[in-house]
């Protein structure tokens, strides 16, 4: 089962990075392989938000759409995505943002664990996903630099 983890420090506050990652509908503007993203449901309770979203990822002539539940937990500076339907056996994704005291920086912890239902699709998309995930945190950091003008 492929997994990818990355922890690094960015020159932005945890709240700014949380807000950026939580704004899922903007992903097609800057995220590698993200062709489209539509939020079809939003529920709020107890300071937390649940989004149900469809994301289309593409590479060359292959496009796949999957549905996830995205849990936004601002009090914890935590975002978790759980797979509902699509080409995966499973997909779990987590972002955690931790301010570094006395600075305008934060630590970003990114984790994703996934497996495709189809071995053939896994062979075609797997290596591309690994490269894309390696660029995800860089893409979000570059987007934060652009938005927050660092």
């Amino acid at each position: 089962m492929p997994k990818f983890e990355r922890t690094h420090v960015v020159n932005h506050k945890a709240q700014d990075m949380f807000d950026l990652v939580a704004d899922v509908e903007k992903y097609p503007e800057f995220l590698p392989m993200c062709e489209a993203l539509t939020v079809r449901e939003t529920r709020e309770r107890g300071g937390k938000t649940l989004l149900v979203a469809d994301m289309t990822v593409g590479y060359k002539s292959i496009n796949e759409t999957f549905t996830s539940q995205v849990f936004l937990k601002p009090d914890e500076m935590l975002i978790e995505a759980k797979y509902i339907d699509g080409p995966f056996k499973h997909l779990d994704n987590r972002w955690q943002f931790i301010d570094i005291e006395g600075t305008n920086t934060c630590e970003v912890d990114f984790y994703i664990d996934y497996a495709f239902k189809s071995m053939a699709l896994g062979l075609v998309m797997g290596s591309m996903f690994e490269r894309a995930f390696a660029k995800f945190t860089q893409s979000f950091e570059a987007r934060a630099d652009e938005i927050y003008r660092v």
Side-chain angles (χ1 to χ4, degrees):
M1 294 184 293
K3 292 182 186 178
F4 180 83
E5 291 182 74
R6 180 162 187 223
T7 299
H8 74 289
V9 174
V10 298
N11 292 317
H12 302 284
K13 293 290 224 177
Q15 185 66 57
D16 291 341
M17 293 304 296
F18 177 91
D19 292 344
L20 183 81
V21 175
D23 192 6
V24 298
E25 290 179 299
K26 297 271 173 66
Y27 287 9
E29 295 176 18
F30 67 94
L31 201 56
M33 295 175 53
C34 182
E35 301 292 326
L37 197 144
T38 304
V39 174
R40 57 172 141 136
E41 185 180 343
T42 302
R43 288 187 247 154
E44 295 191 29
R45 183 186 298 161
K48 297 177 182 170
T49 303
L50 169 67
L51 308 173
V52 176
D54 296 324
M55 182 178 191
T56 301
V57 295
Y59 175 65
K60 295 188 179 183
S61 64
I62 299 172
N63 282 315
E64 291 286 341
T65 300
F66 64 94
T67 304
S68 296
Q69 291 181 324
V70 180
F71 298 95
L72 308 176
K73 302 175 181 179
D75 290 345
E76 301 170 50
M77 288 288 117
L78 180 67
I79 298 173
E80 297 175 311
K82 300 293 181 191
Y83 174 72
I84 297 175
D85 187 39
F88 297 97
K89 282 185 197 173
H90 76 273
L91 184 144
D92 292 309
N93 179 218
R94 182 182 67 244
W95 291 87
Q96 177 85 53
F97 310 95
I98 303 162
D99 276 322
I100 298 173
E101 199 171 322
T103 71
N104 286 324
T105 63
C106 76
E107 180 179 282
V108 176
D109 295 323
F110 173 78
Y111 169 84
I112 192 159
D113 176 10
Y114 67 98
F116 289 100
K117 287 178 188 173
S118 159
M119 188 184 308
L121 184 60
L123 290 171
V124 172
M125 296 290 283
S127 64
M128 266 316 296
F129 264 55
E130 288 178 30
R131 285 195 290 274
F133 291 143
K135 292 181 180 181
F136 269 23
T137 53
Q138 294 169 350
S139 296
F140 280 99
E141 186 175 358
R143 178 74 168 181
D145 289 348
E146 178 183 319
I147 289 173
Y148 303 119
R149 302 286 183 221
V150 167

